[in-house]
Every structure is written in structure tokens, then in C-alpha cells.
């Protein structure tokens, strides 16, 4: 356990590849010293922090690391596939892939209350991870993508930082934590990720909430509307990349609410969902401003989303800053 490791006040911000490489060498040595010939487990979501921890631990202890990737069915298009490609194929990680889509969506069926949805997703995630962890013998360490703001927020009483990610006691008590990016700020984690050779789109990813697309499929999730969120999000990301805006706008995504409106296609009436585009900028997510997209880009998005995504007949743009709106819809 390295709960007492703190960022030294004198530590320079890591901005260059050389600094990142020095940090990587230090952490590889520290992880080897801590883990010895033991085994370590890591929940690998594909987010920046867990991906960087995975790459560092692969470098440090190779096959002594087992990663578990739980696909809750609420991932963005192509995300789980990329985790498998990068970590299993390219980096040769021991990676257990659990497709728990049906399990999550069955539990979420008919649940419209946002807080209940979040609770179900969080609990189910822990259950699936704990079930997989119980199947493994002799694992004494748990890798975690804790970063320095998590520690500061937890100390300031803003956000609970769960040791061992809220795992049940019988599992949590087996593990000592390994937190190799604990003293880094987010921008430094990205620099380290690049120096470790992780793909740019993984390292520069926009923030993605734990409950995933579940909070963007407003109300009770249905598989068809969830697919509409996933497909429209993929088109939005593609258009941002084409416009050179990837990594330049804090967060952009689509939301599909659970109401329908009348439209017309090929001379026939349609009754389909709208798709809402949200694009925001911020420094601290306490207050956010709207990113104004070029008119031609909005025209193209409306045309593509209504023609390529089944069930969508209308595209709207959300012009609301935070406050009064929050970033996510639930
Ligand atoms: P809100 O909607 O609170 O979002 O204005 C602020 C930022 O937090 C992200 N967010 C979450 N991230 N789990 C997460 O890991 C969550 O449950 C969650 N809810 C919101 C949101 O995407 C935005 O960046």
C-alpha cells in the first residue's frame, strides 16, 4: 500500500518526453520492488488513467499482471475492440475480456431514474469484477489509476476516493494497492502515456463518465435507442477529427432523449427520436461554456446523423452553459 506517497512540492510539471521517460524508469523500478514476484490485477476500462497504469505495469512486471476489461455494453463504438487490440495484441497483456452487456442491460431494463441507473451500473461493475477476481489464485496486488487530483479532492472532502474501487471486503482485503500515477496531474498522465507509446486517440481522449453512454440514453435504456446514441456519437467524433478539433474541445457527445417527434422521409411520415449534440469547453468542469461549431459542420452532422442512424429524424444543438445546465443529461 502506498497511501503515504505524496507529490513533492518541488516536483516539476512533466511536459517533455525526456521527463516522462525518467518518470517511467522510476515507476517501473518502484513497481518491481513493490510487487517482486507477486501477481497484480487491474480493471482496465480503456480510459487514460487505467490505460497508462496498464502499460506501465506491463513494462514493469509483464505477465505477472492480469487486466480485466468489463464491457458493460455502454462503451463508445470501437472502444472495447481498441482495448483488446492495443493491450492483448500489441502489448501482449494477460487480458480477461468480459462481455457483460446483457447482464447490465437486463438489470437496467425499465429503470428511468438517473440515480438508480448510476447505482445499478456501479454495483454491477463491482460484482462482475469481483467475480472474475475470485476466480484468480494468488493475486496480492491491485493496480489503480488514482491520480493526484483524486487524492486532493478526497482530502478536501469533495469526492470519496475508494480504496480498492469499492470492492467487497473479502476481495479488497487480499490486495495491496499499486498506484504508479498517483502523484501525477491528468496532463502529465497523458505525456507519460505518449512516451509509453499508447495511441494518440487513447491518450488524448475526452473525459467519459463511468456510467458511459447509459447517462446519454435518457430515461429507461432500450437497446435500439442505445445504439442510436452509440452511432451518432461515432459520427460526431469522426466529424470532430476531420475538422481537426480532436483534443481541442474538452468534451463533445450526443444524447438521445426518450421522446419522439414527427418527421418525413421519402414522402412518408416518420415518428422518431431527436439527437442532441453537446460540445463544451472548461478548465475545471464546475463551469462550462458552449463550443460554437461552424455552420457547415452542423449542417453535415444533421445530414449524416438523420440519414445514417436508424430511429433519428431530427438533430438539435444544446446551447446551454453550466450553470444552469450540467454537462451530462443525467
Ligand atoms: P456534470 O454532468 O456533473 O459533469 O456537469 C461534469 C464532468 O463529469 C463527468 N461525469 C462523470 N464522470 N462518472 C464519471 O466518471 C460519472 O458518474 C460522471 N458524471 C459526469 C462529465 O462527463 C463531465 O466531464
Amino acid at each position: 500500500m502506498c497511501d503515504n506517497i505524496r507529490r513533492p512540492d518541488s516536483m516539476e510539471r512533466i511536459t517533455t518526453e525526456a521527463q516522462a521517460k525518467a518518470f517511467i524508469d522510476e515507476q517501473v523500478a518502484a513497481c518491481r520492488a513493490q510487487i517482486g514476484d507477486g501477481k497484480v490485477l487491474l480493471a482496465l476500462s480503456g480510459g487514460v488513467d487505467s490505460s497508462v497504469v496498464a502499460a506501465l505495469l506491463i513494462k514493469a512486471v509483464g505477465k505477472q499482471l492480469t487486466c480485466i476489461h468489463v464491457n458493460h455494453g455502454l462503451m463508445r463504438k470501437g472502444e472495447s475492440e481498441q482495448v483488446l487490440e492495443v493491450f492483448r495484441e500489441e502489448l501482449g497483456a494477460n487480458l480477461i475480456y468480459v462481455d457483460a452487456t446483457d447482464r447490465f442491460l437486463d438489470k437496467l431494463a425499465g429503470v428511468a431514474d438517473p440515480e438508480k441507473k448510476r447505482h445499478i451500473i456501479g454495483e454491477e461493475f463491482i460484482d462482475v469484477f469481483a467475480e472474475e477476481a475470485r476466480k484468480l489464485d494468488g493475486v496480492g496486488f491491485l493496480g489503480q489509476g488514482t491520480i493526484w487530483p483524486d487524492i486532493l479532492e478526497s482530502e478536501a472532502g469533495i469526492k470519496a476516493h475508494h480504496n480498492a474501487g469499492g470492492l467487497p471486503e473479502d476481495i479488497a482485503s487480499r490486495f495491496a494497492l499499486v498506484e504508479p500515477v498517483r502523484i501525477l496531474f491528468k496532463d502529465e498522465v497523458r505525456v507519460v502515456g505518449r512516451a509509453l507509446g499508447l495511441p494518440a486517440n487513447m491518450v488524448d481522449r475526452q473525459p467519459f463518465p463511468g456510467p458511459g453512454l447509459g447517462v446519454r440514453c435518457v430515461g429507461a435504456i432500450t437497446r435500439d435507442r442505445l445504439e442510436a446514441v452509440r452511432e451518432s456519437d461515432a459520427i460526431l467524433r469522426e466529424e470532430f477529427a476531420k475538422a481537426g478539433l480532436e483534443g481541442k474541445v474538452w468534451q463533445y457527445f450526443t444524447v438521445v432523449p426518450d421522446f419522439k417527434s414527427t418527421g418525413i422521409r421519402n414522402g412518408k411520415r416518420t415518428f422518431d427520436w431527436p439527437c442532441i449534440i453537446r460540445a463544451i469547453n472548461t478548465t475545471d468542469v464546475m463551469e462550462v461554456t458552449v463550443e460554437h461549431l461552424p455552420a457547415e459542420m452542423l449542417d453535415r452532422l444533421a445530414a449524416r446523423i438523420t440519414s445514417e442512424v436508424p430511429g433519428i429524424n431530427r438533430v438539435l444543438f444544446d446551447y446551454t452553459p453550466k450553470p444552469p445546465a450540467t454537462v451530462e443529461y443525467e
Side-chain angles (χ1 to χ4, degrees):
M1 180 92 80
C2 44
D3 261 0
N4 53 351
I5 295 176
R6 302 193 62 80
R7 182 180 179 102
D9 289 339
S10 57
M11 183 171 158
E12 250 182 81
R13 199 82 166 198
I14 297 176
T15 54
T16 66
E17 192 177 346
Q19 285 172 306
K21 292 218 152 120
F23 176 85
I24 293 165
D25 289 345
E26 260 170 42
Q27 286 308 317
V28 164
C31 289
R32 282 186 187 145
Q34 188 189 359
I35 298 164
D37 58 7
K39 287 189 194 166
V40 52
L41 186 63
L42 175 74
L44 175 59
S45 66
V48 182
D49 305 332
S50 67
S51 296
V52 169
V53 170
L56 264 171
L57 286 172
I58 291 166
K59 206 171 167 74
V61 297
K63 296 280 189 197
Q64 287 163 255
L65 169 72
T66 300
C67 301
I68 301 181
H69 176 70
V70 177
N71 178 357
H72 50 21
L74 307 165
M75 308 289 285
R76 286 177 290 201
K77 189 172 180 176
E79 231 164 18
S80 285
E81 291 81 354
Q82 187 182 28
V83 169
L84 288 175
E85 171 71 28
V86 170
F87 290 97
R88 192 183 271 170
E89 305 305 324
E90 291 172 23
L91 297 179
N94 255 334
L95 173 57
I96 298 170
Y97 171 71
V98 187
D99 183 354
T101 301
D102 288 340
R103 208 171 141 163
F104 277 80
L105 295 188
D106 288 350
K107 277 251 159 86
L108 286 164
V111 180
D113 180 73
E115 292 312 307
K116 276 197 192 132
K117 284 168 69 178
R118 274 172 191 275
H119 187 75
I120 290 171
I121 296 166
E123 292 266 292
E124 200 60 23
F125 187 88
I126 288 169
D127 282 356
V128 174
F129 186 79
E131 275 169 30
E132 293 301 321
R134 284 193 189 98
K135 290 182 200 161
L136 301 169
D137 283 331
V139 179
F141 299 90
L142 183 73
Q144 274 202 164
T146 314
I147 62 172
W148 191 235
D150 296 333
I151 307 284
L152 297 180
E153 285 183 356
S154 148
E155 285 173 355
I158 296 168
K159 187 164 91 179
H161 166 62
H162 294 293
N163 268 352
L167 285 172
E169 195 46 36
D170 73 300
I171 298 287
S173 60
R174 294 187 197 171
F175 299 131
L177 296 184
V178 182
E179 299 178 306
V181 296
R182 172 185 168 94
I183 61 169
L184 299 188
F185 286 100
K186 192 81 171 191
D187 52 316
E188 297 178 302
V189 180
R190 296 191 205 275
V191 179
V192 168
R194 257 175 240 126
L196 282 163
L198 291 176
N201 68 345
M202 194 169 244
V203 172
D204 293 328
R205 262 164 60 123
Q206 42 170 328
F208 188 55
L213 301 181
V215 291
R216 298 174 183 170
C217 187
V218 177
I221 298 170
T222 57
R223 287 173 192 249
D224 50 0
R225 200 154 51 83
L226 181 61
E227 261 337 283
V229 181
R230 199 179 339 261
E231 289 301 321
S232 55
D233 173 78
I235 293 172
L236 185 72
R237 287 191 288 138
E238 205 182 302
E239 291 297 329
F240 263 73
K242 270 199 235 159
L245 290 172
E246 204 174 34
K248 295 202 175 130
V249 177
W250 180 273
Q251 219 172 351
Y252 42 94
F253 55 86
T254 60
V255 175
V256 180
D258 56 348
F259 69 86
K260 291 184 170 181
S261 71
T262 306
I264 181 159
R265 189 189 299 273
N266 302 326
K268 289 209 179 87
R269 179 185 188 270
T270 60
F271 192 56
D272 283 330
W273 302 298
C275 168
I276 303 167
I277 296 173
R278 187 123 175 87
I280 56 106
N281 263 313
T282 185
T283 46
D284 60 4
V285 300
M286 301 300 286
E287 294 191 355
V288 315
T289 55
V290 172
E291 171 75 16
H292 293 202
L293 302 183
E296 320 78 70
M297 187 172 166
L298 286 169
D299 285 346
R300 200 165 40 253
L301 282 164
R304 282 197 63 190
I305 292 172
T306 50
S307 65
E308 294 175 36
V309 183
I312 301 290
N313 65 355
R314 203 178 279 276
V315 173
L316 315 175
F317 185 80
D318 184 343
Y319 253 108
T320 330
K322 173 182 176 178
T326 51
V327 175
E328 304 288 349
Y329 273 51
E330 293 190 327

